[in-house]
Amino acid sequence: QVYPVESGGGSVQAGGSLRLSCVPSSYRSYSMGWIRQAPGKEREKVACLESDGKTNYADSFKGRFTIGRDDTEKVLYLQMNNLKPEDTATYYCAADSRPCAWIGFRYNYLGQGTQVTVSS
C-alpha cells in the first residue's frame, strides 16, 4: 500500500501508556514519523525517525514519547508514557523523502490516523 497504516490507539487514564504501531507504506521514504491533531487545533509534529536511525522530537514530547523501528515486526512504533488528557488527539503515521528537519508536520504521505483518548 502507498500509505502507512496505524494501529494501537485507544483509551487510557492519565499517567498510563500506549504504544502505537505503523506498517510502513510501499513508498521508499527517507523519514517516517508521527504527527497528531487534537479537536479544534492544528496538526503538530510529535517525532520523526530517519532511515539512518536519527530521531527528532518536538520539545513537548521529549522524555515521554519514544519513536523507533521494530525490525522483527517491521513496524514503526511510538511508545507513549505518562499520558496526559491534553495528549488526546488523532495520531497519524507519516512518510516523506526529506530529512526530518525539513518536514515539520507536513509529510508527503499520511495514514488514516488512530484515536488516542486520555481521561483524567
Side-chain angles (χ1 to χ4, degrees):
Q1 78 284 359
V2 176
Y3 297 93
V5 179
E6 310 92 338
S7 62
S11 298
V12 65
Q13 289 193 324
S17 298
L18 278 175
R19 181 179 170 114
L20 306 182
S21 293
C22 171
V23 177
S25 67
S26 58
Y27 173 68
R28 298 183 70 176
S29 61
Y30 181 78
S31 300
M32 289 198 68
W34 295 91
I35 65 172
R36 74 180 191 182
Q37 187 166 21
K41 296 188 177 181
E42 292 189 349
R43 286 180 178 173
E44 62 176 331
K45 166 188 168 182
V46 176
C48 184
L49 174 68
E50 296 181 355
S51 57
D52 61 0
K54 181 180 175 182
T55 58
N56 184 291
Y57 293 89
D59 288 344
S60 55
F61 304 107
K62 290 179 181 177
R64 292 196 304 131
F65 291 9
T66 303
I67 189 171
R69 186 170 49 228
D70 185 326
D71 291 329
T72 300
E73 296 188 12
K74 301 188 188 308
V75 297
L76 179 78
Y77 66 83
L78 182 70
Q79 178 67 43
M80 305 185 293
N81 297 328
N82 191 22
L83 283 161
K84 305 174 182 180
E86 52 264 41
D87 292 319
T88 295
T90 300
Y91 286 72
Y92 298 88
C93 180
D96 203 286
S97 60
R98 299 167 293 167
C100 294
W102 295 14
I103 299 170
F105 62 87
R106 300 183 189 279
Y107 285 79
N108 284 338
Y109 293 94
L110 246 60
Q112 293 292 316
T114 186
Q115 178 66 35
V116 172
T117 302
V118 185
S119 58
S120 57

